[in-house]
Amino acid sequence: MTAQAYVFTNDGPHYAEQHRCLAASYDHITTERLAATGVTDGWHCLEVGTGHGSVARWLAERVAPTGSVLAGDIAPGDVEPHPNLTVVEHDIATDPLPAERFDLIVARMVLQHVPQRNAVLDKLITALKPGGWLQIDELDTSYEPVLLATDAAVYEKFLAAKTEHMRSRGGDPEWGRKAPLAMRSAGLVDIDPRPHIGSRHAGSPELGLQHNHTFHLREGLLAAGMTEAELIRVREVMRDPGFRASSSVLHSVQGRKPS
């Protein structure tokens, strides 16, 4: 996978809003689960696909003063500095990782976009110390029904077009529910998947993320069959105060490398 093949570009006017909505929607889930591993002073951690670094910064606070966090991304955003945090440009699909280096690795909404996801999973497990934890937080977009909308059909067409666009780039937007079995098959133990469903409504970051996608993924959505008029229309539908839809399912999955 290259930066050019990635569904969401890491530059342009919509990148910052993408990561703001991601953090507001999911950081509380991700960090609560990370805390349950016992991550603390002295741990060495890796975040794959750090974006603007909100999770990496949280980890850096937990492992201080003697631990470390390495945050990698194809094109890292403007991550707030921290003495225990190192941010690097890193393509998880092609760049190496040190063996048995990390106590904890977290990858949120990354592997669903990487065609070589099983090979990447093996690479991440190799990079874990014996007894170390891997946390993968991924979406399954096969469930995200619209509940109340002035035009349900155009919203559903938007969701279908986004799925088609992701698949055309080698992504698997349903990989969240496949992650637990993939992690077990790769040799991890103590697999613990936990699904989370949210609400998309006016003012919610989950709906803000979808609204952002109508701009961020515009070219891909048009290639998948939407028209410019339909993109304008679906934005209007999502801005309606009465709009209600379920989010997709976020599967937060932890597993441990055998000691």
Side-chain angles (χ1 to χ4, degrees):
M1 185 180 67
T2 65
Q4 289 72 33
Y6 190 59
V7 171
F8 296 101
T9 58
N10 281 12
D11 55 17
H14 310 299
Y15 170 64
E17 178 66 4
Q18 164 86 0
H19 284 280
R20 186 196 70 78
C21 291
L22 281 172
S25 299
Y26 303 117
D27 273 12
H28 66 289
I29 297 171
T30 299
T31 56
E32 180 179 349
R33 296 228 66 203
L34 290 172
T37 67
V39 57
T40 189
D41 178 20
W43 281 39
H44 300 286
C45 305
L46 168 68
E47 186 189 14
V48 179
T50 194
H52 276 189
S54 59
V55 172
R57 281 274 311 178
W58 182 91
L59 282 170
E61 292 288 341
R62 295 286 297 218
V63 303
T66 64
S68 67
V69 177
L70 180 65
D73 201 292
I74 290 177
D78 186 16
V79 180
E80 184 181 352
H82 188 283
N84 297 81
L85 174 62
T86 301
V87 181
V88 296
E89 185 175 316
H90 185 271
D91 185 341
I92 192 59
T94 57
D95 294 336
L97 288 173
E100 299 190 354
R101 174 70 177 83
F102 301 103
D103 301 287
L104 171 64
I105 297 175
V106 57
R108 184 173 70 185
M109 299 179 199
V110 176
L111 271 68
Q112 64 177 306
H113 297 293
V114 183
Q116 315 92 313
R117 59 189 62 87
N118 289 328
V120 169
L121 181 58
D122 289 339
K123 182 190 296 187
L124 296 178
I125 293 171
T126 298
L128 280 175
K129 296 177 183 178
W133 290 95
L134 174 63
Q135 179 171 317
I136 293 178
D137 289 358
E138 288 284 0
L139 294 174
D140 173 8
T141 64
S142 64
Y143 180 86
E144 44 185 355
V146 59
L147 304 174
L148 291 171
T150 55
D151 188 343
V154 74
Y155 178 74
E156 289 168 346
K157 184 173 182 178
F158 157 68
L159 296 178
K162 189 166 62 166
T163 294
E164 180 178 337
H165 176 47
M166 286 185 63
R167 292 195 186 283
S168 74
R169 298 291 187 93
D172 183 354
E174 299 176 7
W175 196 73
R177 60 187 163 91
K178 304 171 187 176
L181 181 57
M183 292 166 70
R184 188 175 70 181
S185 299
L188 293 180
V189 297
D190 299 333
I191 308 297
D192 184 14
R194 303 206 182 170
H196 301 266
I197 300 176
S199 172
R200 293 175 182 169
H201 58 272
S204 71
E206 290 90 346
L207 188 59
L209 194 61
Q210 302 309 307
H211 190 270
N212 175 267
H213 291 172
T214 68
F215 296 100
H216 202 164
L217 303 180
R218 174 181 172 274
E219 297 302 323
L221 294 170
L222 292 174
M226 293 202 77
T227 66
E228 197 70 62
E230 287 171 329
L231 288 177
I232 293 171
R233 176 59 178 153
V234 77
R235 291 171 194 141
E236 293 172 348
V237 168
M238 287 191 281
R239 284 196 297 266
D240 181 79
F243 179 88
R244 295 292 186 276
S246 172
S247 73
S248 46
V249 183
L250 176 72
H251 294 271
S252 183
V253 191
Q254 288 181 344
R256 187 174 55 81
K257 187 172 182 176
S259 300

